[in-house]
Amino acid sequence: MDKEGRILNGKFNFKAMPDGSLDKTKVICIYCRCELRYHRSTSSLKYHLLAKHTAEAEKLPRQMQTMLDSFQRRRMDNSTTNKLSTAIAKWVATAWRPIDIVEDEGLLEIIRIASNDCTYELPSRATTVAKIHNLYEDEKAKVVEALGQTNTVALTGDYWTFRSNHSYLGITAHYFSPQWELKSHALTVMETEEQHFADTCAEQFLQVARQWGIEHKVSTLTTDGACNMVAAASQLPVEHMPCIAHSLHRAITVSLQNSPFNSALAKCRKVIGHFNHSPPNALELEQQQIAHFHKKESLTQDASTKWNSTLEMIKHVLRNQEPLRDALALHPTNVTMPTTAEVEKLKKLETVLEHCRYITELLGGEKFVSCSVVLPALCHLSRVMEVSEYDPAYMVKFKETFKAEMEKHKEKTNIMWLRVATALDPRFKGLKCLSRPDRAEVWRLISALLRERQKPAQPEQPATYEPSKKRSALMFASESSSDEEEDYIEKCVERYRAEPTIDIEDCPQKWWSKHEGAHSEMAYLARMYLATPATSIPCERLFSLSGHVFQNKRAALSSENVKMHVCLSNWVSAK
């Protein structure tokens, strides 16, 4: 392009506007006055010259003539072109690329080399956006169809504020497929402008459920323990499941506040900050790691909002004690390593925090059952936190504070739902994590749930969604039923209880897929209770994905496009 706005050796000019300015998105052919779009790429202009003005194209300089000759090579067939354009649109949407990447000459060159110099024109922005919309609608239709095949759906939900101060609500759905595969889908990442009062939150959850046609299928809603979320859940016709991971993280945070570990942890933070905030210091540490035959690794700084980050910081400091000490000795500094006594404290703290990390990861999965694991996991953690006669005073204080904090959170947990879920998991149906009276109460409750299921279906009434009208059978008192029904229900329960308990490493979903025919009534409850996520981590992952979508080159995305890109990425990656 020259200074007068001429392109391709003067064969095209920018379109002149009435006010004398130039529209640099459109060009005019000097021979036929044809108007073409221009986005820095001259590919379409070369095609125009070659197709309409062959004689003029031959007069171009040798370098441009060579470029035009390449267009006369083997053309890519329409089917391959369409597949490639669709693949590029999918890549842009799911790999969080800016839309203008389709105008990148380097990308076009890579495709041409990979296709053995076939001629190919990158799709325009408009074409790519249209294909992304089509992909979204196609994937959404698949999710709608899958949700239509299940009777119960569990939700997780949370609010998130982006750095632009825009607030978003994320909701995910969890359910079993007919083949007992645990499915997880993002339903929305919608921008919210209202204050997050309880009634507003409740209405927004209902709005999303209605949009997906599952308002009468939702069994539980898993959220964090924020007051507005708890109050919102109480207004919905579903059971509320507080996030166990948030409870664990809160208990650890409270236990470390004003604890004897403070001095050692403060030194760890200063040491890591010394190397993380200075490239020369980081290089010296790397050299010391090599000298001590350690793996080269950067150090992790703990953060109050990042789960298990304190444990990771401790592990990095303990693993790199010698390299850190020698690197600090190279220059005068007031940064000091933890003392021998403090290192012993950190080792003991690492041991108990490792159990918490394992449980957080165990309960935070989306591909396997988690709700039924909560009580056995907490029972195990309670044993780990038992004070022994060999514990020093600082460990006694930490363990006692942790157990007291977990008991507070346990009181707010939906304990009855967790107990039923545990009984419906063939790994834990012995209910060894409960007392004998509690075990008997759980089986009585399951019998009551089956009796409620045996009742004739009532005509569907318009939904009034009052707090008192929970659809779960946890709160109802069983009504009298015939002796025949009672016998049938008792036989269902006893037949399931008589089945041998499977190994803890076995998969409960596979067990139910093989035994659903023999325990059809119990299987219905298992689909409802076992699909419930124990944590709101699926929503946290959704917000991490949103952070990738919101990049500097994509900061102008509309809220509707944010939802489309995040949900599409979630649906495609879940396959």
Side-chain angles (χ1 to χ4, degrees):
M1 182 178 69
D2 60 23
K3 294 181 180 179
E4 282 76 30
R6 294 177 296 185
I7 306 170
L8 276 183
N9 208 35
K11 306 300 182 183
F12 297 89
N13 295 324
F14 283 122
K15 182 179 179 180
M17 303 300 290
D19 60 0
S21 63
L22 296 178
D23 182 352
K24 295 191 176 183
T25 65
K26 295 176 183 178
V27 294
I28 305 296
C29 174
I30 64 172
Y31 301 109
C32 63
R33 311 306 297 171
C34 177
E35 181 178 306
L36 301 171
R37 288 187 178 184
Y38 176 69
H39 296 290
R40 296 198 305 264
S41 171
T42 58
S43 301
S44 60
L45 309 187
K46 295 169 187 174
Y47 276 124
H48 177 80
L49 276 182
L50 194 63
K52 303 292 185 180
H53 313 289
T54 308
E56 298 301 330
E58 293 174 354
K59 298 178 182 178
L60 288 171
R62 181 178 298 275
Q63 182 180 7
M64 289 190 179
Q65 185 63 46
T66 302
M67 295 173 65
L68 281 174
D69 289 342
S70 67
F71 288 95
Q72 296 176 315
R73 298 171 184 170
R74 182 168 55 91
R75 292 183 62 84
M76 191 176 290
D77 61 85
N78 291 337
S79 175
T80 304
T81 299
N82 186 56
K83 287 180 181 178
L84 192 52
S85 298
T86 301
I88 290 174
K90 185 176 181 180
W91 172 63
V92 169
T94 59
W96 322 302
R97 304 299 177 191
I99 199 69
D100 63 358
I101 199 169
V102 297
E103 299 169 356
D104 191 288
E105 289 286 351
L107 176 61
L108 179 60
E109 184 64 22
I110 290 171
I111 293 174
R112 284 177 179 161
I113 293 173
S115 61
N116 196 23
D117 282 340
C118 285
T119 57
Y120 174 72
E121 181 79 8
L122 282 170
S124 66
R125 287 193 189 193
T127 299
T128 304
V129 169
K131 285 185 175 292
I132 291 175
H133 277 275
N134 291 338
L135 280 171
Y136 173 79
E137 293 300 331
D138 291 345
E139 293 297 326
K140 182 179 179 180
K142 295 176 185 177
V143 175
V144 170
E145 182 181 2
L147 289 171
Q149 295 175 354
T150 186
N151 291 320
T152 60
V153 179
L155 302 181
T156 72
D158 200 1
Y159 287 89
W160 167 71
T161 301
F162 188 60
R163 58 175 178 263
S164 61
N165 211 29
H166 291 170
S167 180
Y168 285 84
L169 167 64
I171 299 178
T172 63
H174 308 264
Y175 60 95
F176 285 110
S177 71
Q179 294 75 35
W180 283 91
E181 293 177 292
L182 189 54
K183 299 291 186 179
S184 173
H185 300 301
L187 295 187
T188 191
V189 176
M190 58 182 283
E191 185 175 8
T192 59
E193 298 179 351
E194 304 89 345
Q195 292 284 344
H196 298 161
F197 296 124
D199 54 349
T200 303
C201 296
E203 180 54 39
Q204 287 171 345
F205 279 113
L206 284 174
Q207 175 189 343
V208 174
R210 291 190 194 103
Q211 289 172 352
W212 288 87
I214 57 173
E215 65 268 32
H216 299 297
K217 294 184 177 184
V218 179
S219 57
T220 57
L221 172 62
T222 304
T223 71
D224 59 23
C227 294
N228 62 329
M229 301 300 278
V230 175
S234 68
Q235 298 181 26
L236 298 172
V238 301
E239 288 293 322
H240 181 231
M241 181 62 61
C243 175
I244 303 300
H246 278 86
S247 300
L248 270 176
H249 180 67
R250 176 62 182 167
I252 293 171
T253 302
V254 171
S255 302
L256 290 176
Q257 286 175 353
N258 302 319
S259 71
F261 297 103
N262 281 3
S263 174
L265 293 175
K267 286 185 178 180
C268 290
R269 294 184 188 104
K270 288 192 70 174
V271 167
I272 291 177
H274 175 77
F275 292 101
N276 282 358
H277 299 154
S278 170
N281 292 345
L283 180 60
E284 290 175 352
L285 174 60
E286 185 178 301
Q287 293 169 347
Q288 290 299 324
Q289 287 172 334
I290 295 172
H292 287 85
F293 304 102
H294 282 227
K295 176 184 176 182
K296 290 193 296 183
E297 61 177 343
S298 56
L299 306 178
T300 298
Q301 180 83 58
D302 67 340
S304 59
T305 57
K306 189 176 181 181
W307 297 340
N308 301 318
S309 60
T310 300
L311 172 62
E312 290 303 312
M313 179 181 71
I314 293 172
K315 291 168 74 172
H316 282 166
V317 170
L318 294 180
R319 268 201 309 265
N320 292 276
Q321 287 185 69
E322 292 179 354
L324 286 169
R325 189 174 291 110
D326 290 351
L328 288 173
L330 295 175
H331 306 286
T333 178
N334 59 356
V335 178
T336 59
M337 286 287 291
T339 64
T340 303
E342 288 171 334
V343 167
E344 286 304 311
K345 286 184 180 181
L346 292 174
K347 287 180 178 179
K348 290 184 179 295
L349 181 59
E350 178 191 11
T351 301
V352 294
L353 290 185
E354 187 63 43
H355 289 278
C356 297
R357 179 201 62 78
Y358 171 73
I359 289 175
T360 301
E361 293 181 357
L362 184 67
L363 300 180
E366 297 182 51
K367 296 296 184 182
F368 47 83
V369 171
S370 61
C371 192
S372 59
V373 186
V374 172
L375 295 183
L378 293 183
C379 184
H380 164 75
L381 194 57
S382 180
R383 289 194 294 268
V384 169
M385 294 297 175
E386 285 291 341
V387 175
S388 73
E389 58 182 318
Y390 304 106
D391 283 333
Y394 59 84
M395 281 306 300
V396 172
K397 180 181 178 182
F398 176 86
K399 288 182 175 181
E400 289 179 344
T401 305
F402 181 89
K403 290 186 70 174
E405 191 65 23
M406 283 304 297
E407 282 300 317
K408 292 180 185 177
H409 289 285
K410 195 173 180 179
E411 293 172 1
K412 302 174 183 178
T413 302
N414 196 330
I415 193 69
M416 295 308 297
W417 190 278
L418 294 175
R419 287 177 177 178
V420 173
T422 306
L424 293 171
D425 189 324
R427 297 172 297 177
F428 308 117
K429 64 189 184 71
L431 300 177
K432 294 181 179 179
C433 56
L434 302 180
S435 64
R436 290 185 182 276
D438 287 340
R439 296 176 198 173
E441 178 60 28
V442 170
W443 294 114
R444 282 196 294 270
L445 178 56
I446 289 177
S447 296
L449 289 166
L450 292 177
R451 278 194 291 272
E452 181 71 8
R453 175 161 160 71
Q454 292 297 314
K455 291 180 182 180
Q458 299 295 323
E460 191 170 312
Q461 300 295 326
T464 53
Y465 300 132
E466 296 178 9
S468 60
K469 295 188 177 180
K470 297 277 184 180
R471 288 195 292 110
S472 168
L474 286 179
M475 302 300 179
F476 65 75
S478 61
E479 299 178 0
S480 60
S481 55
S482 68
D483 292 340
E484 185 178 342
E485 289 174 344
E486 285 291 338
D487 290 343
Y488 173 74
I489 290 168
E490 292 305 318
K491 286 180 181 178
C492 287
V493 174
E494 291 304 320
R495 194 163 59 247
Y496 170 71
R497 293 182 67 180
E499 293 279 1
T501 302
I502 64 175
D503 189 79
I504 194 171
E505 298 295 332
D506 291 338
C507 178
Q509 297 149 250
K510 290 183 178 179
W511 189 93
W512 275 111
S513 68
K514 294 177 180 178
H515 295 80
E516 183 174 15
H519 306 284
S520 58
E521 299 297 334
M522 299 292 286
Y524 179 86
L525 295 182
R527 285 183 178 275
M528 178 189 298
Y529 282 80
L530 297 183
T532 300
T535 71
S536 60
I537 290 178
C539 264
E540 304 288 341
R541 293 194 181 102
L542 209 57
F543 295 148
S544 296
L545 182 58
S546 301
H548 291 300
V549 171
F550 264 124
Q551 300 172 2
N552 289 336
K553 288 190 175 182
R554 304 178 67 145
L557 281 175
S558 67
S559 58
E560 191 62 28
N561 281 334
V562 170
K563 180 182 75 172
M564 181 177 64
H565 282 261
V566 174
C567 289
L568 182 57
S569 297
N570 174 270
W571 298 338
V572 172
S573 63
K575 292 183 177 180

